[in-house]
Amino acid sequence: MSIKVDNLFYTYMANSNQETPALKGVSLNIDNNSFVGILGATGSGKSTLIQTFNALLLPTCGTVTVDEFKVSSEKKKNKSIKELRKHLSLVFQFPEYQLFEETVEKDVAFGLKNFGYKNEDALKKAHEALLQVGLDESYFTRSPFDLSGGEKRRVAIAGIIAIDPDILVLDEPTAGLDPVGCQSIMKLVKNMFDNGKTIIVVTHDMEMVMEYCQKVFVVKEGQIIFEGSPNALFSVANEEDYAIEIPPLFLLADRLKKAGKNIDINKIHTSSDLIKELKEKRHG
Amino acid sequence: MASVVFGRFSPYNTFVHRLDPRNKIFMVILLMVMIFLRIGNWSTTYILCGVYLLFLIIIMLIAKISFLELFKSLKSMWFLVLFIFAIYVFLPATVEIKETGHVAFYINTYPIYWESFLQSGYIIFRLIMMIALMMLLTSTTTPMNLTYAFEWYMSPLKVIKFPTHEIAMTLSIALRFIPTLLDETERIQKAQASRGVDFNKGGLFKRFKAIVSLIIPLFISAIDRSEQLADAMEARGFDPKMKRTRYRILKFHLRDLISLLFVLILFAGVLTLFIFDKNGYPIDILNFFFNIKTKF
Ligand SMILES: Nc1ncnc2c1ncn2[C@@H]1O[C@H](COP(=O)(O)OP(=O)(O)OP(=O)(O)O)[C@@H](O)[C@H]1O
Ligand SMILES: [Mg+2]
C-alpha cells in the first residue's frame, strides 16, 4: 500500500488563544514496500504527521490518501476508519504504556479481537507474533507489568504486528533501549519489510537511518525541507540547517573518498558495505 | 475537555491577572452573593441583572477572556438550562405566583404564568453568571496562586493543628497533574484506537472493554508518576512537617485596594437596597427613575 499526502495542515487547539500550528502544508508520497525515515528536530511535527496517516488526528486542511482510504478534515467523509487502521498500524513512542491485560498473550490478542478475530485464532496469531519479537512460551501467561522495559516494548510491538498491517508506522521505536534491544527490534522491522510491508519510522538515530532507510523526509517547523536518500541527505547536511547528526560511518566514507579512494558512497549502508567496497575497488 | 467550568489559565498579563489571588477570590465571592440577592419586582431584578452582565463583560474585556471560550463552556450546559426552564414553566406554580401572577396562556385549563418564565430566566442567568465568574477567576489566576490563596484562607485553622500546608501541597500537586493526565489519556486513547478500539461505538461489553483499556494504563502511569515525584521531592529534602519559605510571596498592592473598594461599595449598595426591599420599602427602579409602572 502506498501513502499520498497532499498539502496537509494541522493546528492543535484550533480556534482558541493557544493555537499551535504543527503542520503547514506537507505533501509527500510513500511507495508500496518502501522503508522510509521521517527525521527532524523535536517539536518539528513528525508525530503529528504520522498520526494523520491513520486518522487519529483529522487534518485541518488537506488530505491523506492510503490506497482507497481517504482522510480529510470532514468527519463524515472518513468512512471505514477502522478498516484503515487494520491496514496501517501505528506504534507509539513508549508503547509499553498501553498494556493493560492480565497476561501477555491476552494483551497481544486484544487488537486482533477488536478487528474481529475469534478468540482461538487471535491467541494463535498472538503466539506467532510473540515468538517473532523473541519472547518464548514462558512469557505467554506472565503479567505484562512484571516485565522489564524492553520486554514490555516487545510485547507492545507484538500487539501491533499481530494485526499484520500492510503499513507499519513506528514512532521512535528504539528510544531508551539498550543496543541489543535496538538491534533486535530493527531486525524485526527489517524482516517485515522483506515480507512486503511498507515501513515508516520516526527516529533520531542516524546510523539506523543509514543502514535501513531507502528514503528520508526531513521535517522542520511543520514543513518538509528535504526528501531523498539518507546518503544524499548526509552529504548536504553540513551546509543546511537540518538539525541532523551525520553518522561516523558516513563521515569516514566521505573522508576516504575525498582522500582519493574510489568508492561509491551511495552503496554504503553498514561498515561491512564499506569494507566490501574498499576491497572490490582495490582488486578492480 | 477540562475547561467545562474551570477555564484553562490564559497566559496574559492584564490588570485582572495581576491582582492578588486572595483578593480575587474574595471579590468573586462578594459578586456571587450579590447576584443571589433578589431585589424588588421583576423589572428591577432584570435591570440589575443587566448591570451585572455589563460589569462582567467589561471585566472580561479587560482580562482578555474570549467570549467564545465562555460560550464553549456554556454549550455543555444547554440540557440543564432546558431542564430548569421546563421545570419552572410547566410544573404547578408556587402559591405566591398563583396569587399575584399573570397568566400568559392556558394549556387546556392549566395556567402558565409569565412569572414562571421570569423565574426560570433569572435562575438560568444566575447559573451563567456563576460559571462566568468561576471561569474569570481560573483563567486569570495560575493554579499555583489559587492554592496559595486557599492556603492563606485556611491559615486560621493552623491553631487547631489542621494540616493546612499539606492540604495545599496536595491540592497544588493535583492541579498540576490535571493537564498531564489529560494529555496521557489522549495518548493512550490514540494508542488503543490504533489497536482497533472504537470508543464511540459497539455494545455494552465492547464499550466496557474500551474503557478498561484506557483506565488501567492511565492508573499505572499515574501511580508511576506519583512514585517518581515522591522520590524526587524526597531527594531534594522535602519534609512536610518543616516550615517552608516561599519563592513567590503574595502581596496586596494598590490595585487590589482600589478594586476591592470598588467591589465593596457595589456590594454595600446592593445590600442596602436588599435590606430596604425586605423591610417594607419595595424597590422599583422603573417607577422611581422614569415613572413607569409595570405589571411585573
Ligand atoms: N497535544 C498537543 N497539544 C498542543 N500542541 C501540541 C500537542 N502535541 C504536539 N503539539 C505541538 O505541535 C508541535 C509538533 O509536535 P510533534 O509532537 O509532532 O513533534 P515531534 O516532531 O514528534 O517531536 P519529538 O521528536 O519531540 O517527538 C510542537 O510544537 C508541539 O508543541
Ligand atoms: Mg514525536
Side-chain angles (χ1 to χ4, degrees):
Chain A
M1 285 178 112
S2 61
I3 301 180
K4 186 174 183 318
V5 177
D6 194 21
N7 199 23
L8 188 73
F9 285 80
Y10 187 84
T11 305
Y12 283 104
M13 292 180 286
N15 307 322
S16 81
N17 55 0
Q18 291 163 47
E19 263 189 11
T20 327
L23 297 177
K24 305 168 197 164
V26 172
S27 297
L28 54 84
N29 284 305
I30 294 171
D31 298 332
N32 185 31
N33 192 24
S34 55
F35 202 125
V36 171
I38 295 179
L39 321 178
T42 47
S44 54
K46 307 178 296 289
S47 301
T48 311
L49 176 63
I50 57 171
Q51 284 172 42
T52 62
F53 289 176
N54 69 348
L56 289 172
L57 298 176
L58 294 183
T60 312
C61 181
T63 55
V64 177
T65 317
V66 183
D67 271 15
E68 78 264 28
F69 304 101
K70 196 163 191 174
V71 182
S72 71
S73 57
E74 286 143 88
K75 247 188 195 156
K76 290 178 200 120
K77 280 196 181 166
N78 299 306
K79 286 177 205 146
S80 53
I81 281 185
K82 196 161 174 183
E83 197 60 25
L84 165 63
R85 288 183 184 156
K86 196 170 163 183
H87 292 288
L88 191 155
S89 273
L90 214 147
V91 179
F92 274 84
Q93 206 166 354
F94 302 112
E96 48 272 32
Y97 290 116
Q98 71 198 38
L99 306 176
F100 74 100
E101 288 275 19
E102 304 127 70
T103 65
V104 166
E105 57 180 8
K106 269 193 185 171
D107 206 287
V108 175
F110 173 66
L112 291 163
K113 282 199 257 175
N114 284 327
F115 287 120
Y117 283 86
K118 295 256 162 39
N119 207 358
E120 293 91 70
D121 297 344
L123 277 182
K124 210 173 126 231
K125 285 203 103 179
H127 292 165
E128 282 168 21
L130 281 167
L131 291 175
Q132 261 189 327
V133 299
L135 297 173
D136 58 32
E137 284 87 357
S138 65
Y139 284 94
F140 291 178
T141 51
R142 282 175 65 177
S143 160
F145 303 113
D146 297 338
L147 304 178
S148 78
E151 287 165 341
K152 276 186 196 165
R153 175 140 350 156
R154 284 194 224 180
V155 173
I157 291 179
I160 293 290
I161 63 174
I163 299 168
D164 199 28
D166 296 307
I167 305 178
L168 183 65
V169 186
L170 303 112
D171 197 348
E172 306 195 25
T174 56
L177 287 189
D178 64 284
V180 180
C182 286
Q183 285 276 322
S184 71
I185 283 186
M186 286 321 293
K187 283 234 177 72
L188 185 77
V189 173
K190 177 78 163 58
N191 196 22
M192 292 193 71
F193 169 67
D194 292 336
N195 286 332
K197 312 287 184 194
T198 306
I199 308 286
I200 301 165
V201 285
V202 171
T203 185
H204 296 288
D205 181 348
M206 291 305 140
E207 267 172 71
M208 181 183 109
V209 169
M210 188 167 168
E211 185 170 348
Y212 294 103
C213 294
Q214 300 169 327
K215 189 174 184 182
V216 293
F217 295 94
V218 180
V219 188
K220 185 181 178 185
E221 288 164 16
Q223 286 172 325
I224 302 281
I225 52 165
F226 179 90
E227 168 176 356
S229 76
N231 287 358
L233 169 68
F234 299 141
S235 36
V236 293
N238 261 339
E239 290 111 65
E240 308 280 342
D241 183 20
Y242 289 155
I244 274 169
E245 195 187 359
I246 303 173
L249 178 64
F250 183 87
L251 287 176
L252 176 64
D254 198 40
R255 282 274 189 85
L256 286 170
K257 190 179 161 106
K258 286 208 177 104
K261 294 277 186 213
N262 175 20
I263 46 180
D264 184 357
I265 293 250
N266 289 326
K267 278 190 186 161
I268 294 166
H269 301 291
T270 59
S271 48
S272 35
D273 288 345
L274 179 61
I275 294 166
K276 210 169 94 198
E277 189 81 353
L278 284 170
K279 272 187 184 157
E280 268 175 24
K281 292 289 151 66
R282 193 172 60 198
H283 298 304
Chain B
M1 275 182 280
S3 58
V4 179
V5 174
F6 296 99
R8 222 181 269 232
F9 178 70
S10 65
Y12 294 112
N13 190 20
T14 67
F15 179 81
V16 184
H17 284 74
R18 283 195 302 260
L19 289 175
D20 185 319
R22 295 168 297 182
N23 184 25
K24 259 190 275 191
I25 290 180
F26 187 64
M27 290 192 298
V28 163
I29 292 173
L30 282 187
L31 289 172
M32 283 184 176
V33 172
M34 252 160 70
I35 290 162
F36 269 81
L37 296 179
R38 216 205 117 186
I39 296 170
N41 53 8
W42 279 114
S43 54
T44 308
T45 304
Y46 270 85
I47 288 172
L48 282 178
C49 285
V51 174
Y52 298 149
L53 191 66
L54 199 70
F55 186 62
L56 178 84
I57 289 173
I58 292 171
I59 304 177
M60 280 180 70
L61 285 176
I62 295 175
K64 292 192 187 161
I65 309 276
S66 83
F67 290 93
L68 199 76
E69 207 102 319
L70 177 61
F71 286 130
K72 261 193 230 156
S73 50
L74 292 178
K75 219 168 58 186
S76 54
M77 311 273 307
W78 68 268
F79 186 75
L80 187 61
V81 166
L82 219 64
F83 188 68
I84 292 174
F85 189 75
I87 290 222
Y88 273 87
V89 173
F90 295 111
L91 286 188
T94 58
V95 179
E96 194 201 335
I97 292 182
K98 268 188 184 146
E99 280 171 3
T100 61
H102 305 79
V103 176
F105 53 86
Y106 288 94
I107 300 177
N108 288 333
T109 54
Y110 184 75
I112 303 288
Y113 294 92
W114 282 119
E115 277 75 6
S116 308
F117 286 102
L118 291 169
Q119 181 82 32
S120 64
Y122 181 51
I123 300 222
I124 291 163
F125 173 81
R126 290 198 289 202
L127 189 75
I128 292 174
M129 286 297 279
M130 296 299 261
I131 292 173
L133 282 173
M134 276 318 273
M135 205 185 103
L136 195 66
L137 180 66
T138 51
S139 56
T140 61
T141 320
T142 58
M144 216 59 212
N145 273 334
L146 273 181
T147 49
Y148 283 162
F150 279 127
E151 191 181 352
W152 187 82
Y153 278 114
M154 287 194 297
S155 54
L157 295 175
K158 267 185 196 151
V159 264
I160 56 163
K161 291 267 158 48
F162 189 74
T164 56
H165 177 70
E166 282 88 332
I167 288 184
M169 193 70 182
T170 314
L171 205 64
S172 67
I173 291 174
L175 284 175
R176 154 71 188 75
F177 273 102
I178 289 174
T180 316
L181 284 180
L182 283 179
D183 283 352
E184 194 78 13
T185 312
E186 201 183 317
R187 219 178 59 85
I188 296 169
Q189 205 168 4
K190 282 183 192 162
Q192 305 298 27
S194 296
R195 293 212 275 168
V197 178
D198 200 330
F199 288 93
N200 303 317
K201 274 196 215 118
L204 203 61
F205 180 73
K206 275 232 158 123
R207 292 231 184 168
F208 176 72
K209 192 85 183 176
I211 290 182
V212 168
S213 78
L214 183 62
I215 300 259
I216 292 185
L218 200 58
F219 263 100
I220 288 172
S221 88
I223 291 167
D224 268 2
R225 270 177 209 282
S226 53
E227 253 174 53
Q228 281 171 13
L229 184 68
D231 285 347
M233 282 166 79
E234 215 168 349
R236 293 185 200 180
F238 176 79
D239 179 354
K241 299 254 167 353
M242 217 103 98
K243 184 151 178 55
R244 290 174 69 221
T245 54
R246 283 264 166 72
Y247 173 65
R248 211 178 309 214
I249 292 164
L250 299 180
K251 274 209 192 93
F252 200 80
H253 292 277
L254 184 65
R255 53 173 173 265
D256 293 302
L257 190 67
I258 294 172
S259 55
L260 182 60
L261 274 180
F262 185 73
V263 172
L264 273 177
I265 289 171
L266 214 63
F267 182 74
V270 170
L271 196 64
T272 318
L273 285 183
F274 181 74
I275 292 170
F276 267 107
D277 187 54
K278 286 285 165 273
N279 289 308
Y281 300 94
I283 309 282
D284 186 344
I285 293 181
L286 280 183
N287 191 14
F288 185 80
F289 284 108
F290 308 106
N291 236 342
I292 304 171
K293 291 207 169 67
T294 57
K295 295 196 288 183
F296 298 105

